Amino acid sequence: MYEHDVIVVGAGGAGLRAAIAAHEEGADVALVTKLHPVRSHTGAAEGGINAAIRDGDSWEDHAYDTMKGSDYLGDAPAIETLCQDSPKETIQLEHWGMAFSREDDGSVSQRPFGGLSFPRTTYAGAETGHHLLHTMYEQVVKRGIQVYDEWYVTRLAVTNQDDPAERDCHGVIAYDIKSGKIEGFTAKNGVILTTGGLGQVFDHTTNAVANTGDGAAMAYRAGVPLEDMEFIQFHPTTLPSTGVLISEGVRGEGGILYNSEGERFMFEHGYANNEGELASRDVVARAELTEVNNGRGINDEYVHLDMRHLGEERIIDRLENILHLAEDFEGVNALEEPMPVKPGQHYAMGGIETDENGETCISGLYAAGECACVSVHGANRLGGNALPELIVFGARAGRHAAGKDLGTPEITTGKTEDTEIGELDTPVEPGAVGTPEDAVADGGTTMAQPSQTVETALEAERARVERLLERDEGVQQAELRAKLQKSMTANVNVFRNEEGLKQALRDIREVREEYENVYVNDPSRTFNTDLIHTIEMRNLIDLAEAITLGALVRDEFRGAHWRQENQERRDDVWLKHTLLSWEDGTPELWFKPTILEGEDGEYEPKIRSY
Amino acid sequence: MSTQVPEKTESETETETETERTETPGDRRRAEKRARQKGTTEAQETTETDEESIHLKVFRYDPEIEGKMEPRFDDFHVPFTKGMTVLDALMLARDRFDTTLTFRHSCRQAICGSDALFINGTQRLGCKTQISDLEEPVRVEPLPHAEVVKDLVVDMEHFYDQMHAVEPYFQTNEAPSDELQEQHQSRENREKIKMSTRCIWCGACMSSCNIAAGDNEYLGPAALNKAFRFAMDKREGEDMREHRFEILDQEHGVWRCQTQFSCTNVCPKDIPLTEHIQELKRSAVKNNLKFW
């Protein structure tokens, strides 16, 4: 049994920032990560960090752009916190030595990004995330913060009261990948989930193979609602063969999109007459696929992104990494020819419901970064807003978990008296199929002693792994994963309709049933990746179901969520968040209103035009 | 419980990487791609060749499973598709034929640094090595000069220890006290450290280094490059620079480098590691003549 004040699960941007913040407040903090911190997917972020740090810019403008970009599904208190804290957090990185790109006077560079009214995206070449990740890991090393690398957290130790709001999180159970040991970790103050994205739910994604949404799935099963899961961002420029990301920075610097007829379609076909290629991501992604569907795609699959006219010098200075990616993963010399690009799954706007301090409805359980939904992105995330989210809310969660008073949050979590319960009309019974794995969920005790809660969870987890390893026939996770990913990409992609979503639910249900017979072929306790992928697969099933249920319920068109039958944003009904709760394995749907009231008044929903 | 990878000769690394190339792999792939797009006839031929399979010889070892404790090579024949990387082929081999095949990987876009492997006798990232650039059978082994944990997974602890030994974090007394005021850096100085900041900690360089193989205490190319990144960053100030050279100017520091360029040759991020180490040597001499 290990014991710390604060345990951070995951060591990407949000996790590292949370750990540093908790450490600065005097807490004994540990990072537990299934990778090594420098292997985290934050390293793959390219574009930059939005921060209003220049004369002529203001946090209010940043907040306005973000509200508009979110299609008015973001919560104003969260967005305003993001925009107020981002400048100091960004400069903090600069003081930690981060290798930002520089202007002639030595100040950090900023560039234009989609949906922004000011060029406020602070960057380090086209590899901003790499520098951010390494800079913060360096600070973790400097402070001597304990890191358990290649330890996979597979279960939360949460008490089991009927009402999630009365539950306490006392720690986590983790699996030491190298030795196969399963151990309990007690957190005296709190557990912070910073496990990142869930892109592996889809088969064409910019996300790493490790991005299986573990934190979100564990929190869900422990009783925390998942919020706005239907809002999945599809990035308009990913390489067709691999899903590797081509930064929005390319369009920010002036890159142009062409169809097979050589038309600059964003303008010529009227998708965004003012902003063109710099319209927000949902607009550009739909435009590209519409071109392909109308026969103006290249090889019926993709469009071209051209940056040749920017000139070699500027490309090398600001986008050099893109040249390497295009070369290594698509065989294209982007100085001489345009790059093929198509939309790919990129970011989960929804996630674990938290308040501005990162806390969930379960006491002692926090979440920050992509796995969380404090709701700064709403229905569509603006490029350059993910990295500030990591550092702003990572730091806040770390401080709060370490005991610092950050004031009363304006965002509520969990069910309240005003909660509106929704109805699910689904073609199949979603959720649990009644196995031992499901019955234990991730909690399992009402005991008052934290150590007993952790012990109980530890026993349950050891039993689960034992069962997976003992079984020696059935189906293997790779087959199930491929089936799930294929169905999600076919049915829950950029364009959605009711029939497709229902088909996805049927497929997910099938996969869930087959998972009952999943077995791990590798009997070894040493570095058993077969076992890890099998545990991850369970998380993918729960998250795929949550995404699809949300998408089916929300019968309107908002931000990244496009519905064939419902081509309009319906503010009269849908200015509200969808929430899904795990009720003994059966998802329960409910809603809470979007908060449009900011510090200086209410944000008025307007038509989004670019 | 662990074992060294057997039968590794250090010269293999040298000869493979110094092979003269008249056309780059990229040129070749682009030419193929253009040919493919020219006409349907050619495209069909390509489709036919797509059904070829690729022959992998993969190193296997598991310390606790009987029958796998003796290191061996397994053969895999996986269907080849255009653009396939070594990592793609390994994943296919694992998912389709043997789910016990074990290797690290995550981002599959050359930034997480977790899939550095010894491929046809050279340290490379599996994810950015195109199968079409390799001779068959493609031999995939764990990184040399590191303890093998299982199959292609090596213990990285020593590598991390060496990285940590150079105080790999920014230290300055000159940062502005105002939390919103930047600490300016010239474009020139940023340019100076730019390549060194690209290190992804994959360990390819360390694995390729003959000196590191023979001297366990040698800081090695990755850590020295990390030290270069901070020593050359003018924002740290003179006092800190001196402190940094005290760490580097030691028996197992910069002077161990024998300028063999193997690290530079294998670096997947094209960092001029050897050059950086030589520059540190020059600076160390200027600071305080001391040779080990």
Side-chain angles (χ1 to χ4, degrees), chain A residues 94-95 97 150 205 331 526, chain B residues 64 104 108 181 183 229:
Chain A
E94 205 263 358
H95 289 181
E150 297 190 326
T205 174
T526 306
Chain B
E64 59 170 299
R104 287 192 183 97
R108 85 248 181 285
Q181 196 189 332
Q183 187 184 12
R229 178 253 173 277

Side-chain angles (χ1 to χ4, degrees), chain A residues 58-238:
Chain A
S58 67
W59 73 261
E60 287 92 344
D61 287 353
H62 184 187
Y64 176 81
D65 291 343
T66 305
M67 278 305 279
K68 179 186 171 194
S70 81
D71 225 345
Y72 302 92
L73 197 72
D75 284 331
I79 286 175
E80 293 189 341
T81 301
L82 175 87
C83 302
Q84 286 163 347
D85 285 6
S86 179
K88 68 176 184 219
E89 286 292 338
T90 305
I91 302 300
Q92 174 71 81
L93 290 168
E94 205 263 358
H95 289 181
W96 285 339
M98 183 164 156
F100 282 111
S101 293
R102 299 280 169 172
E103 293 299 314
D104 287 339
D105 69 354
S107 60
V108 301
S109 296
Q110 294 197 304
R111 65 179 161 209
F113 246 51
L116 299 183
S117 58
F118 189 92
R120 70 170 71 89
T121 307
T122 318
Y123 63 96
E127 47 199 25
T128 314
H130 164 78
H131 293 293
L132 177 137
L133 180 72
H134 283 257
T135 301
M136 287 202 288
Y137 177 61
E138 289 158 16
Q139 293 299 311
V140 162
V141 173
K142 182 180 182 184
R143 287 162 171 77
I145 292 170
Q146 172 91 47
V147 179
Y148 298 88
D149 65 317
E150 297 190 326
W151 277 80
Y152 180 25
V153 171
T154 53
R155 183 182 294 259
L156 302 175
V158 172
T159 58
N160 202 22
Q161 284 83 359
D162 285 344
D163 181 356
E166 287 173 14
R167 293 176 195 167
D168 290 304
C169 180
H170 291 305
V172 301
I173 310 305
Y175 172 89
D176 177 7
I177 295 171
K178 210 188 268 180
S179 73
K181 270 189 314 188
I182 300 170
E183 296 288 347
F185 287 71
T186 304
K188 279 193 273 185
N189 291 20
V191 169
I192 307 176
L193 298 172
T194 55
T195 54
L198 48 72
Q200 288 301 315
V201 164
F202 294 85
D203 73 359
H204 187 81
T205 174
T206 64
N207 282 198
V209 178
N211 285 13
T212 51
D214 303 323
M218 286 189 292
Y220 179 46
R221 292 193 298 262
V224 181
L226 294 178
E227 180 174 349
D228 293 337
M229 292 297 283
E230 62 272 29
F231 293 104
I232 297 289
Q233 179 160 74
F234 297 89
H235 196 288
T237 58
T238 73

Side-chain angles (χ1 to χ4, degrees), chain A residues 18-29:
Chain A
I20 294 167
H23 185 264
E24 281 178 346
E25 293 300 325
D28 161 33
V29 55

Side-chain angles (χ1 to χ4, degrees), chain A residues 35-36 38-39 41 43-44 46 53-54 87-88 91 94-108 124-125 127 130-131 134 137-139 141-142 149-150 178 205-210 242-245 299 302 316-317 320-321 324-325 327-333 337 476 478 521-530 533, chain B residues 25-27 29-30 33-34 37 62-65 68 85 91 94-95 98-114 127-128 130 149-150 153 155-157 159-160 164 168-172 175-176 178-187 190-191 193-195 197-202 226 229-230 233 235 269-270:
Chain A
L35 305 171
H36 177 279
V38 302
R39 319 285 177 214
H41 197 55
E46 294 167 10
I53 57 174
R54 288 281 172 266
K88 68 176 184 219
I91 302 300
E94 205 263 358
H95 289 181
W96 285 339
M98 183 164 156
F100 282 111
S101 293
R102 299 280 169 172
E103 293 299 314
D104 287 339
D105 69 354
S107 60
V108 301
E127 47 199 25
H130 164 78
H131 293 293
H134 283 257
Y137 177 61
E138 289 158 16
Q139 293 299 311
V141 173
K142 182 180 182 184
D149 65 317
E150 297 190 326
K178 210 188 268 180
T205 174
T206 64
N207 282 198
V209 178
T242 51
V244 165
L245 176 69
N299 290 342
Y302 51 84
I316 296 284
D317 183 41
E320 186 187 340
N321 185 41
H324 299 310
L325 295 176
E327 168 71 55
D328 294 337
F329 299 102
E330 204 65 50
V332 165
N333 180 348
E337 51 191 326
Q476 292 212 267
N521 196 28
D522 190 349
S524 180
R525 286 279 173 183
T526 306
F527 224 97
N528 191 334
T529 50
D530 196 1
H533 296 318
Chain B
D27 291 338
R29 283 203 303 281
R30 277 196 297 278
K33 199 179 169 85
R34 281 193 204 99
Q37 284 168 355
D62 188 322
E64 59 170 299
I65 301 299
K68 293 176 75 179
T85 64
M91 288 166 76
R94 177 195 64 195
D95 290 349
D98 182 357
T99 54
T100 70
L101 178 59
T102 305
F103 47 92
R104 287 192 183 97
H105 65 298
S106 188
C107 76
R108 85 248 181 285
Q109 60 180 84
I111 196 71
C112 79
S114 60
C127 66
K128 71 171 274 190
Q130 292 282 326
V149 176
K150 178 176 168 182
V153 174
D155 191 330
M156 294 291 286
E157 282 311 311
F159 177 82
Y160 296 142
H164 292 169
Y169 35 81
F170 189 68
Q171 303 178 75
T172 181
D178 183 341
E179 64 179 11
L180 289 173
Q181 196 189 332
E182 298 165 35
Q183 187 184 12
H184 285 189
Q185 179 184 32
S186 69
R187 288 178 77 118
R190 196 242 173 196
E191 202 59 31
I193 62 165
K194 186 173 88 178
M195 292 309 288
T197 62
R198 291 197 174 156
C199 174
I200 55 173
W201 298 45
C202 69
K226 192 80 178 165
R229 178 253 173 277
F230 292 108
D233 192 324
R235 293 173 298 170
K269 304 309 276 187
D270 300 325

Side-chain angles (χ1 to χ4, degrees), chain A residues 464-584:
Chain A
R464 169 163 82 144
V465 169
E466 223 31 71
R467 272 195 300 274
L468 286 171
L469 286 174
E470 272 172 13
R471 212 177 278 154
D472 53 12
E473 58 177 12
V475 62
Q476 292 212 267
Q477 69 82 26
E479 193 185 318
L480 297 181
R481 193 179 289 215
K483 195 167 162 180
L484 184 85
Q485 290 174 334
K486 213 173 139 202
S487 178
M488 290 299 285
T489 298
N491 298 307
V492 200
N493 213 306
V494 175
F495 293 132
R496 301 165 172 186
N497 62 47
E498 188 178 333
E499 191 33 56
L501 294 170
K502 287 186 168 169
Q503 184 55 48
L505 275 178
R506 283 190 282 266
D507 295 339
I508 293 164
R509 175 70 182 187
E510 256 182 55
V511 169
R512 187 185 285 284
E513 283 171 2
E514 286 178 71
Y515 188 80
E516 296 307 296
N517 297 316
V518 78
Y519 80 104
V520 176
N521 196 28
D522 190 349
S524 180
R525 286 279 173 183
T526 306
F527 224 97
N528 191 334
T529 50
D530 196 1
L531 173 64
I532 292 161
H533 296 318
T534 303
I535 296 171
E536 288 171 343
M537 184 60 212
R538 172 59 208 277
N539 296 335
L540 293 176
I541 295 171
D542 289 341
L543 296 177
E545 184 180 275
I547 293 165
T548 311
L549 284 174
L552 187 60
V553 165
R554 187 176 285 272
D555 55 353
E556 64 159 353
F557 166 22
R558 185 181 299 271
H561 177 63
W562 182 97
R563 282 284 298 264
Q564 191 177 28
E565 310 87 349
N566 310 88
Q567 296 274 316
E568 282 185 358
R569 194 176 82 187
R570 294 172 58 201
D571 286 348
D572 52 335
V573 194
W574 280 113
L575 270 175
K576 61 188 180 189
H577 302 286
T578 53
L579 293 119
L580 284 166
S581 287
W582 177 269
E583 298 292 331
D584 291 330

